[in-house]
Every structure is written in C-alpha cells, then in structure tokens.
C-alpha cells in the first residue's frame, strides 16, 4: 500500500477483514509527531538535484478574504506541490524544491509570492490558524496575477498539537481529514468536499477544531513541506 502521492511510501498489510491500520509506535496521540524528511532514507538533496530551473522569476499576486469579503491579515500562502508545465515530472510534486516557499497577507488581505522559476505549475495552500484553509488547483504562475480565495473562521471547541521529532511545535502544518485525503490522488481535478477538514497549525503547533469528534472521526494526514507526512 502506497500512502498516496505524499512524502514517503509506507508498507503495511491488511487484516482478515481488509482493514489497513497505519501506525508508527513512536507516535503518541496527542500530540502527533512528524519527522523532518532529512532523517528519511530518501535523500531530499539527491531529489532536488534533479530540478533544473528553465524559466524566469515570476511573482504571484492575490487576496485572501473572510466570509464577509474582508481581507484577512496575516494569512499564510505557501506552495504545497509543483510539477513541470511541459514534460513529465521527474520529482514527486510534494517533494519539489519549490514546495514550502511562502508569503503572508498584509492588513488588506493582499499577498505577493515570488518564485524563482515560472516553468512549473504550482498548488497553493492559503490559510490562517483558526480558519478553514483553502487549496488551489495547479496554477500557471505566469497567469496567476489575481487569485482570490475565501477562508472561514471556525469555532474552537478542541485542539491538538503538532510537534517535530525534537518535540518542538511546528507552525503552518496542514491537517487534512477524511475524504479530503483524495487531494493526493487527484492533483489536477481535486475539489475539497468539506473545507472545514483543511486546517493549519498556529505558532504553538496547535490546530483548533469545532469539537473533539472532529479530531477522532476518520483518517487524517498532517502535511508540512520539508517533513515526512
């Protein structure tokens, strides 16, 4: 079983009832722990050597608003996947060197994100702790000059904390729940069925949910560029 188009492949087997349970005995709940990919058998340095920029620098512009159409100050915007516009990818889109490049919105909700190369489609995450995050489809950065996404505040009824292997909190980790996991399977046609299932951690590594049931119901995945999922 391959864990989606994610950051690492994980081998496991199904039981007699066909149930697949993926569990790292090192992890405790709460808090979940995600490991830096540099500790993985897969060398990011070797993977990144395959990347040869062939385009020119480009600046993506857009605005993040709330449900009242007001600009959201301090929302983070970052690349979560990238693939070449021409030809087949030679790097897993979620491991691409462009992943993790980020910007933040100003007091009006406006942002600018400069990429060193316009020869790759990119997917963006836009969100803020305490809000439902938003994920774009793959975009041509040369044409992405007026992106506009809405994120909605959530009620804070429960939370969990995301930490690294050294137990330090990890900010801006994307928590994906339930059917939204299919974003890793359908990169070009993905539509979020339930935006409330896409949430970002704050500076303390905390992710807030409307209720405890939202934490424990169904499968979930934590994604952060530079870390194993």
């Amino acid at each position: 079983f391959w864990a989606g188009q994610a950051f690492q492949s994980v081998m496991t087997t199904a039981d007699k009832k066909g149930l697949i349970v993926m569990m790292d005995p090192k992890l405790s709940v709460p808090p979940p722990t995600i490991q830096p990919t540099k500790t993985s058998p897969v060398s990011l340095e070797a993977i990144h050597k395959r990347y040869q920029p062939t385009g020119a620098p480009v600046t993506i512009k857009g605005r993040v608003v709330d449900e009242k159409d007001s600009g959201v100050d301090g929302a983070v915007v970052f690349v979560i996947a990238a693939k070449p516009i021409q030809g087949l990818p030679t790097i897993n889109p979620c491991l691409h060197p462009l992943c993790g490049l980020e910007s933040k919105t100003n007091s009006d909700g406006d942002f600018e994100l400069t990429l060193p190369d316009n020869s790759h489609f990119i997917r963006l995450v836009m969100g803020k702790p305490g809000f439902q995050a938003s994920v774009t489809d793959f975009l041509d950065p040369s044409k992405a000059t007026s992106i506009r996404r809405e994120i909605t505040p959530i009620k804070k009824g429960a939370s969990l904390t995301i930490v690294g292997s050294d137990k330090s909190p990890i900010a801006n980790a994307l928590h994906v729940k339930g059917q939204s996991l299919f974003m890793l399977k359908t990169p070009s046609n993905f539509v979020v069925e339930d935006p409330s299932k896409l949430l970002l951690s704050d500076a303390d590594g905390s992710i807030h949910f409307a209720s405890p049931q939202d934490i424990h119901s169904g499968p979930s995945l934590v994604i952060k560029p530079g870390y194993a999922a």
Side-chain angles (χ1 to χ4, degrees):
F1 176 78
W2 185 37
Q5 190 181 346
F7 294 74
Q8 283 185 320
S9 58
V10 180
M11 297 303 298
T12 187
T13 57
D15 63 14
K16 294 181 180 180
K17 296 181 180 180
L19 177 66
I20 295 176
V21 179
M22 300 179 67
M23 180 63 68
D24 184 340
K26 298 178 182 178
L27 303 187
S28 60
V29 181
T33 301
I34 55 178
Q35 304 283 347
T37 45
K38 65 182 181 181
T39 64
S40 166
V42 179
S43 169
L44 276 181
E45 184 176 345
I47 292 174
H48 287 183
K49 286 182 178 178
R50 303 178 201 165
Y51 170 53
Q52 298 296 328
T54 57
V58 62
T59 298
I60 298 171
K61 298 180 180 180
R63 191 167 191 242
V64 179
V65 299
D66 61 18
E67 76 282 8
K68 297 179 180 179
D69 204 37
S70 298
V72 178
D73 184 15
V76 65
V77 180
F78 65 90
V79 179
I80 198 170
K83 65 179 182 179
I85 292 177
Q86 297 183 347
L88 298 175
T90 58
I91 302 173
N92 184 321
C94 296
L95 288 173
H96 200 280
L98 294 177
C99 293
L101 294 178
E102 67 175 57
S103 179
K104 284 191 175 183
T105 59
N106 60 21
S107 58
D108 295 322
D110 298 322
F111 71 88
E112 293 187 0
L113 176 60
T114 299
L115 304 178
D117 183 9
N118 65 353
S119 67
H120 284 66
F121 291 117
I122 52 99
R123 293 191 78 177
L124 297 176
V125 171
M126 305 179 192
K128 184 177 181 178
F131 286 74
Q132 300 168 358
S134 177
V135 182
T136 72
D137 197 352
F138 276 107
L139 305 171
D140 183 339
S142 297
K143 300 177 181 179
T145 56
S146 58
I147 302 172
R148 186 182 184 88
R149 304 293 285 204
E150 178 182 317
I151 59 176
T152 307
I154 62 169
K155 296 180 180 179
K156 299 179 181 180
S159 65
L160 58 78
T161 302
I162 308 300
V163 300
S165 55
D166 60 356
K167 305 305 179 184
S168 61
I170 297 178
N172 296 327
L174 178 66
H175 184 273
V176 186
K177 284 288 287 185
Q179 295 301 315
S180 297
L181 290 171
F182 288 109
M183 64 176 284
L184 298 175
K185 294 283 190 178
T186 55
S188 44
N189 298 309
F190 170 66
V191 175
V192 181
E193 295 182 10
D194 186 353
S196 66
K197 295 179 180 178
L198 298 174
L199 303 169
L200 285 178
S201 61
D202 61 21
D204 296 324
S206 298
I207 297 178
H208 299 282
F209 298 82
S211 69
Q213 289 77 12
D214 291 335
I215 297 177
H216 301 292
S217 61
S220 63
L221 182 69
V222 178
I223 302 172
K224 171 75 173 181
Y227 288 78

